[in-house]
Amino acid sequence: KGGAGAVDGTAAGAGGAAEAEESKAAGLAWANSGLSLFKAGEEEEAGEAVQDFTGDAAYLEWAGVSLGRTETFRLHQALKRLANEQPVRQLRFFGKFLGLKADYYVAECLQDPEDEGE
């Protein structure tokens, strides 16, 4: 009764193990790419220059528009890092463009007039 439809775990195990290993490697690469957003002992110097994107994202999610919580958090961390590296007065998320080979995030910033030459 159940013999014809049964799957032997040992026959499918070899292919499944390779897929699981690939998936694990891809997940590890994704996690490592996000590590650059977090530095031990990093101070929040960019406080007011960066838009409170995680707070604004909650309102957008409520309205039915969302990047997802993980992507929103990673994007907010990237904006804070950018504000720490560049002399900007104000920095905010403008949008996301979905490309054929990669997606692109656009940030809008205001620079101080004396820093525009850099």
Side-chain angles (χ1 to χ4, degrees):
K1 195 173 178 180
V7 176
D8 183 17
T10 57
E19 288 179 16
E21 193 62 35
E22 276 184 35
S23 177
K24 185 177 178 182
L28 187 59
W30 179 82
N32 285 333
S33 71
L35 284 177
S36 65
L37 298 175
F38 306 99
K39 293 182 182 174
E42 183 179 86
E43 298 294 324
E44 292 212 19
E45 298 171 13
E48 297 200 17
V50 179
Q51 166 192 13
D52 179 21
F53 186 62
T54 53
D56 294 346
Y59 292 119
L60 291 171
E61 187 176 349
W62 183 74
V65 180
S66 176
L67 294 172
R69 292 182 182 197
T70 302
E71 188 174 2
T72 298
F73 179 74
R74 289 172 58 105
L75 183 58
H76 182 68
Q77 291 297 108
L79 288 173
K80 287 186 349 184
R81 182 175 178 189
L82 181 62
N84 284 331
E85 293 175 356
Q86 301 294 322
V88 295
R89 251 188 316 151
Q90 185 179 14
L91 180 66
R92 69 181 185 139
F93 176 67
F94 183 81
K96 176 179 178 179
F97 292 100
L98 303 176
L100 294 176
K101 295 184 180 180
D103 295 340
Y104 300 92
Y105 296 95
V106 180
E108 176 186 29
C109 71
L110 294 174
Q111 288 186 311
D112 290 326
E114 62 270 2
D115 293 332
E116 286 183 10
E118 293 183 22

